Amino acid sequence: MLEATPLTDGWILRHEQEALPAVVPGCVHTDLLAAGVIPDPFLGRNETEVAWVGRREWTYETRLPEVSSGHEQTDLVFDGLDTAAEILVDGQLLGRARNMHRSYRFDVTGLSGGLTVRFRSAYAEAEAVRGRVGERPAAYTEPYQYLRKMACSFGWDWGPTLVTAGIWRPVRLERWSTARIARVRPLVTVEQGVGVVELHVDVERTRVEAVLTLEARVGGRRVRAEVAGTSGVVRVEVPDAELWWPRGYGRQPLYDVEVTLHHESAPLDVWRRRVGFRNVELDTSADAHGTGFTLVVNGERLFARGVNWIPDDVFPSRVTRERYRKRLRQAADAGVDLVRIWGGGIYESEDFYDACDELGLLVWQDFPFACAAYPEEQPLRGEVEAEARENVVRLMPHPSLVLWNGNNENLWGFRDWGWEERLGGDSWGEGYYLGLLPRVVGELDPTRPYTAGSPWSGSWRRHPNDPAHGTHHSWEVWNREDYADYRLHVPRFVAEFGWQAPPAYATLRRALPGEELTADSPGMLHHQKAEDGNGKLRRGLERHFPFPEGDFDRWHYLTQVNQARAVAAGIEHWRSHWPVCAGTVVWQLNDCWPVTSWAAIDGDGREKPLYHELRRLYADRLLTVRQGETGLVVAAVNQARERWTGTLSLRRMSVEGELIGAVDVPLLAGARAVAEVRVPAELEPAGAKEFLVADAWGSPAHGDPSRSWGSPRSSGAESGGGAESGGRLRAVHFPVPDRDVPYPRPEFEVAVVPGGIEVSARTLVRDLLLQADRLDPRARADRGLVTLLPGERVTIGVEGWETPDAAAARSALYCQEPAR
């Protein structure tokens, strides 16, 4: 039987004349940090102090363990090397690596002694390739497009430039005889209610003449087949297989699959995974609105409630199974059902996809190409094909994986960013996205759809980012316009859009120790990587709120409110236009370090107000107010499997709390449908002092992430927003921006209650937010922005707060105030 021995102990890292202890898996930066050689690059402006690390060559050393002679072959297997490396045993060159995204295997039979892995600087490797293939344009100046490495380690508009090197995934010795399983490619489908697993198995042999057999077991079913030469196929049928569904649509049953390779009666090797039975399609058919982009799982058409995922740490080897699960659990708890793994990162570890399988999170997997023209000459082309073939097969067992995507923004960049003229006919990646990658996916994984890029309209006959066709990235709004402009268009699928905000206060305090915080203090500016990021934050804020000059705490609060409002403006509008629009993928769920960014969860894992707003926006049922052709309309979005029946209560109110008019009307929204109710003209608010409250009363939807309709939860933009209370969904509509609303001075009482605090409003209290981390860095509130009418109250749960105190809680509460 194949025996595997992990090589985790005894590694050293050569630094100048020193030998430092090294952790494998790991990277140079984490080893230097542990040894005290470099400061924490996440703190202050230390990032610039460690830039030299990426320019150096680094060597890892250990000794191969003594092995018995009971096996015919011994292989040295690296699951991941970052990135350009030579591998030697006792000075003998075994081979070279130049791709972070694939594994490497070397025959070390009979070899012993010192194992050396010598890493070349990624900069030196990239510059050498650039010298061979010529210059290619990119969105950033760093040379990430010239080697197969995590692009964002060279920095991004949310990430630091920390160019890593190291043995970033496990390494082991494998000893075997006669034959081993080299690859298993499972095609998992459902045929007329029968689950089918067709296992295509490749083997490597030391004995050509040996008669080999395969035994496969799935869900209690067992099938055997012979190996012809170096391959065999086993088909296992599971009658009445239970279907795997995305979260909110059904359960996520998983079936153990085991493939054993036998010689005569002796087992030689075994392969184990879990699969789920489901069918997935991508409907890109033309209709009256253009060209659709709708995911269909088990025949059910979905509005995808998505988030974009970046590497959760700029040093990916630090991301543990538990950390993956926590972050993805946060996504699921926010109502997310799709996670897009963005193309400037990595193919994630099995731990990521396992968690998605169990949580019912659909995975959209980008191939690692982002925001650059990528050469198609060697040595890159061969590496691209090798990594694609390996990772397509590696990830195929996971039912959560539903879409392969060729690249991020490169087709768009060729057309709009001046690349076409600069390239002058040179290769730039089109051959990958429209040729190589669809061929590899079609050959190896025909059970899943492939799309050439995001954004992509499906044809060069149309603009790549045409909102009426395929996927659309909406970045003009953040860069140049007001987020109210999200409501001007109904794209078929919004694969990227977002708005920035700073991280939580405790995150800033940890990352910028001793600094007097201002919006443009040195540390704040260093942890703002977007071009003119603070300028865009200011202009976006000034369109809606009076700018709080010289008041950092108020600036911090309002920019976080504005982020939640901006994303709400988009999602409410686009969800209310289902099925024309079939999905939104917010940029972004997470951060890889403490930074002002578009993330809903900051670099220390703290949830911004946007995170809690996503819980409302992505719930099965959403209430929003929008402008119709002849007046205001309340849209009741029902993504639940049951129809939504109840009563819609409409109230026209003044900011002083006066009820000007009210009416109750029946509400009926079909399953997976949107219903519209016209607001009577006499209830439409007039002027800055009035607003509309829409409350929908009825039973909670089965799939709502809150599972409980307690006290009021959150509010949204001027044209939308909502709260839940005792079986109620709420939307609040103000006809003018907040800067023009004459808010009363907020009056409310605060009391400590078991598990948190209770706030009772005596006046209108809009966008109430408890920044729990100001009470204790470990504290977390269970909700974000809340709007209360006079006489209403809300209970805010707080975890991690050891000494509850009402006065302290009041000091950490923020809300809208009268203009100063």
Side-chain angles (χ1 to χ4, degrees):
M1 191 71 167
L2 183 146
E3 296 180 4
T5 303
L7 300 183
T8 56
D9 299 329
W11 287 94
I12 62 171
L13 172 66
R14 292 289 180 187
H15 170 61
E16 297 178 343
Q17 303 304 315
E18 295 184 78
L20 305 177
V23 174
V24 172
C27 74
V28 170
H29 286 83
T30 52
D31 289 332
L32 295 176
L33 185 61
V37 176
I38 62 172
D40 187 340
F42 286 11
L43 302 185
R45 290 177 282 174
N46 290 343
E47 174 198 353
T48 59
E49 300 298 316
V50 303
W52 59 271
V53 175
R55 299 280 181 181
R56 297 283 184 89
E57 293 188 354
W58 299 95
T59 299
Y60 283 82
E61 296 177 356
T62 191
R63 293 194 64 81
L64 290 176
E66 297 292 332
V67 298
S68 66
S69 58
H71 292 84
E72 296 171 349
Q73 183 157 327
T74 302
D75 292 339
L76 174 64
V77 183
F78 293 93
D79 286 340
L81 292 168
D82 177 16
T83 292
E86 293 181 337
I87 298 90
L88 307 96
V89 173
D90 268 359
Q92 175 183 336
L93 180 67
L94 293 182
R96 294 181 172 86
R98 61 192 323 149
N99 192 330
M100 181 181 182
H101 302 305
R102 57 176 291 203
S103 63
Y104 293 88
R105 178 180 291 267
F106 303 100
D107 184 350
V108 293
T109 307
L111 298 181
S112 62
L115 171 60
T116 301
V117 184
R118 185 180 300 139
F119 289 94
R120 188 182 189 189
S121 161
Y123 281 107
E125 173 71 9
E127 288 157 6
V129 173
R130 178 166 55 190
R132 290 174 59 180
V133 303
E135 191 78 29
R136 297 296 194 282
Y140 303 98
T141 57
E142 297 281 304
Y144 59 89
Q145 69 270 45
Y146 300 104
L147 73 169
R148 300 306 298 151
K149 176 178 171 60
M150 184 175 83
C152 63
S153 69
F154 287 92
W156 221 259
D157 58 4
W158 37 257
T161 301
L162 294 168
V163 180
T164 54
I167 305 170
W168 76 289
R169 280 184 167 162
V171 55
R172 63 190 174 277
L173 289 178
E174 289 187 356
R175 301 188 296 276
W176 55 279
S177 299
T178 307
R180 70 174 186 90
I181 296 174
R183 185 177 78 167
V184 178
R185 186 167 61 90
L187 299 176
V188 183
T189 56
V190 182
E191 300 176 6
Q192 297 180 337
V194 176
V196 178
V197 183
E198 189 175 279
L199 297 148
H200 296 251
V201 183
D202 295 336
V203 302
E204 181 182 358
R205 292 173 174 261
T206 59
R207 293 189 233 167
V208 177
E209 76 287 353
V211 177
L212 305 177
T213 58
L214 297 168
E215 180 181 74
R217 286 187 282 181
V218 183
R221 311 279 293 184
R222 181 180 303 185
V223 177
R224 298 181 69 95
E226 291 188 0
V227 176
T230 58
S231 64
V233 179
V234 189
R235 178 184 169 97
V236 184
E237 297 185 357
V238 181
D240 301 318
E242 190 175 357
L243 294 180
W244 184 98
W245 288 94
R247 63 167 305 281
Y249 289 82
R251 297 180 62 251
Q252 294 80 43
L254 298 170
Y255 290 76
D256 292 324
V257 178
E258 182 178 275
V259 178
T260 305
L261 177 66
H262 291 271
H263 174 229
E264 298 175 347
S265 61
L268 301 176
D269 197 0
V270 64
W271 178 93
R272 296 184 181 93
R273 295 293 188 277
R274 293 184 304 172
V275 301
F277 292 105
R278 92 288 178 270
N279 288 326
V280 59
E281 303 168 74
L282 180 65
D283 184 355
T284 58
S285 57
D287 58 26
H289 304 280
T291 308
F293 193 92
T294 304
L295 284 166
V296 185
V297 178
N298 299 329
E300 185 81 54
R301 300 175 68 83
L302 311 181
F303 181 97
R305 294 169 276 188
V307 288
N308 281 276
W309 172 275
I310 66 170
D312 204 51
D313 197 313
V314 75
F315 307 130
S317 59
R318 295 202 297 200
V319 184
T320 63
R321 181 178 182 85
E322 293 71 28
R323 183 162 157 186
Y324 274 126
R325 192 164 295 273
K326 177 180 179 180
R327 199 70 71 242
L328 291 166
R329 178 76 259 177
Q330 286 174 299
D333 287 346
V336 169
D337 60 20
L338 180 142
V339 180
R340 176 192 172 210
I341 301 178
W342 167 76
I346 57 177
Y347 306 94
E348 295 288 349
S349 80
E350 296 296 327
D351 296 332
F352 178 98
Y353 304 94
D354 285 346
C356 290
D357 291 344
E358 295 165 13
L359 293 169
L361 294 172
L362 303 175
V363 176
W364 160 334
Q365 176 71 56
D366 280 14
F367 286 97
F369 301 90
C371 301
Y374 284 78
E376 296 176 41
E377 292 79 12
Q378 298 292 10
L380 291 173
R381 186 177 184 86
E383 290 293 343
V384 167
E385 180 158 2
E387 81 176 51
R389 288 184 172 277
E390 177 176 332
N391 285 284
V392 166
V393 173
R394 176 173 75 89
L395 300 181
M396 282 175 63
H398 295 283
S400 56
L401 179 59
V402 295
L403 182 67
W404 294 104
N405 177 54
N407 74 89
N408 175 76
E409 298 190 345
N410 294 344
L411 297 162
W412 182 19
F414 177 76
R415 178 58 51 85
D416 269 7
W417 300 350
W419 295 359
E420 190 169 4
E421 296 77 14
R422 292 173 59 188
L423 285 164
D426 288 342
S427 68
W428 56 275
E430 182 183 27
Y432 297 145
Y433 319 133
L434 299 179
L436 172 65
L437 295 176
R439 173 171 57 82
V440 168
V441 171
E443 173 192 338
L444 298 177
D445 187 16
T447 68
R448 290 179 177 87
Y450 169 88
T451 185
S454 185
W456 179 234
S457 62
S459 170
W460 282 120
R461 295 190 301 272
R462 299 181 288 265
H463 190 281
N465 200 29
D466 187 336
H469 301 277
T471 49
H472 176 68
H473 289 195
S474 180
W475 284 118
E476 284 299 298
V477 170
W478 157 253
N479 286 316
R480 296 174 181 85
E481 300 167 359
D482 181 13
Y483 58 69
D485 289 357
Y486 285 137
R487 305 185 188 106
L488 300 179
H489 307 285
V490 183
R492 305 311 304 270
F493 193 105
V494 187
E496 279 190 22
F497 79 106
W499 204 267
Q500 272 201 348
Y505 182 79
T507 300
L508 289 173
R509 282 270 58 107
R510 187 191 71 82
L512 304 174
E515 180 165 312
E516 182 180 351
L517 295 178
T518 67
D520 57 356
S521 60
M524 286 294 294
L525 290 178
H526 186 80
H527 289 250
Q528 163 63 278
K529 296 296 186 179
E531 182 181 3
D532 190 30
N534 272 19
K536 293 171 184 176
L537 279 175
R538 179 171 187 133
R539 290 188 292 275
L541 197 59
E542 287 177 331
R543 293 183 178 107
H544 296 270
F545 300 97
F547 192 82
E549 294 284 1
D551 186 342
F552 176 81
D553 290 343
R554 193 75 187 161
W555 175 87
H556 180 263
Y557 160 74
L558 287 176
T559 51
Q560 289 199 333
V561 171
N562 218 35
Q563 180 187 39
R565 293 277 190 90
V567 172
I571 293 178
E572 289 185 3
H573 177 68
W574 295 322
R575 277 195 73 182
S576 73
H577 284 87
W578 161 260
V580 176
C581 180
T584 57
V585 189
V586 176
W587 188 271
Q588 65 213 65
L589 174 70
N590 58 326
D591 268 326
C592 64
W593 78 313
V595 64
T596 296
S597 83
W598 298 264
I601 302 169
D602 75 19
D604 281 7
R606 294 188 175 93
E607 297 156 349
K608 297 183 188 179
L610 171 60
Y611 171 83
H612 296 282
E613 186 71 348
L614 286 177
R615 295 184 67 199
R616 180 183 70 85
L617 295 167
Y618 277 165
D620 278 357
R621 289 176 175 168
L622 172 69
L623 206 63
T624 181
V625 181
R626 59 176 167 84
Q627 190 68 38
E629 293 183 1
T630 59
L632 290 183
V633 170
V634 178
V637 181
N638 183 27
Q639 209 161 341
R641 66 171 65 92
E642 305 90 3
R643 67 178 188 168
W644 183 5
T645 60
T647 301
L648 181 64
S649 174
L650 302 173
R651 284 180 285 171
R652 178 181 173 186
M653 299 189 66
S654 74
V655 294
E656 290 89 359
E658 176 190 1
L659 179 63
I660 301 170
V663 67
D664 289 347
V665 296
L667 175 64
L668 173 60
R672 321 289 194 201
V674 179
E676 294 184 355
V677 177
R678 172 74 169 85
V679 176
E682 64 273 15
L683 291 185
E684 292 198 9
K689 297 185 67 174
E690 297 182 2
F691 62 101
L692 177 72
V693 179
D695 289 322
W697 300 89
S699 301
H702 173 74
D704 278 351
S706 64
R707 298 284 179 174
S708 172
W709 291 26
S711 48
R713 296 181 55 84
S714 59
S715 69
E718 293 93 357
S719 61
E724 299 172 9
S725 177
R728 177 189 70 200
L729 281 181
R730 171 175 287 177
V732 180
H733 170 75
F734 285 74
V736 299
D738 289 75
R739 68 186 181 203
D740 298 327
V741 177
Y743 286 119
R745 185 163 301 280
E747 297 180 10
F748 53 85
E749 302 296 330
V750 180
V752 173
V753 297
I757 64 169
E758 183 179 80
V759 180
S760 302
R762 294 200 298 267
T763 65
L764 172 66
V765 179
R766 192 165 192 218
D767 294 327
L768 181 72
L769 175 67
L770 175 66
Q771 293 191 3
D773 59 287
R774 288 179 179 263
L775 303 172
D776 187 308
R778 296 164 295 181
R780 173 188 177 271
D782 68 354
R783 64 195 63 213
L785 302 171
V786 179
T787 290
L788 299 176
L789 304 180
E792 292 185 336
R793 61 186 178 183
V794 63
T795 298
I796 303 174
V798 184
E799 298 176 353
W801 188 22
E802 294 185 356
T803 56
D805 176 79
R810 178 175 282 274
S811 71
L813 284 165
Y814 292 79
C815 63
Q816 300 299 342
E817 298 176 352
R820 298 176 184 178

